[in-house]
Amino acid sequence: MAYALFYQDAKLSKAYPTEADVWKLARKSGLVVDATSDDEKASPRPVLDNDYEIRPCQLDPDEDPAKNKADADREARLEPKLSS
């Protein structure tokens, strides 16, 4: 089963092997915010901003989720790191 980022019914990302891979992409893209409820004030949980969703998806023809993940991991390693 492959997963992707969606807004309403539009698939916004490539397909990835796991839901965790798409969460990583969404976090890197600034689409994840911390939300709290009255019961969770001490530990906020991450949620997607603006009604984005991560859900199972159909693969496009010739799409390879493992290759998409490898490409994203390689790009992340090549990006310059900003010092704080």
Side-chain angles (χ1 to χ4, degrees):
M1 175 71 49
Y3 294 85
L5 181 68
F6 286 83
Y7 179 72
Q8 296 175 352
D9 288 328
K11 181 179 165 188
L12 300 180
S13 72
K14 296 177 182 178
Y16 291 87
T18 68
E19 190 174 349
D21 295 323
V22 185
W23 273 102
K24 187 191 301 187
L25 171 73
R27 212 179 280 285
K28 182 178 173 193
S29 300
L31 300 176
V32 177
V33 297
D34 288 330
T36 59
S37 67
D38 289 336
D39 297 336
E40 300 173 330
K41 284 187 179 177
S43 59
R45 62 182 176 85
V47 295
L48 292 168
D49 200 13
N50 296 321
D51 298 323
Y52 290 102
E53 294 180 275
I54 295 171
R55 57 185 182 197
C57 67
Q58 296 293 321
L59 295 177
D60 294 333
D62 300 322
E63 187 172 27
D64 181 355
K67 181 181 180 312
N68 292 341
K69 180 182 181 333
D71 290 346
D73 290 345
R74 184 174 41 258
E75 287 175 23
R77 284 192 310 271
L78 295 176
E79 288 181 1
K81 302 230 183 326
L82 300 176
S83 60
S84 46

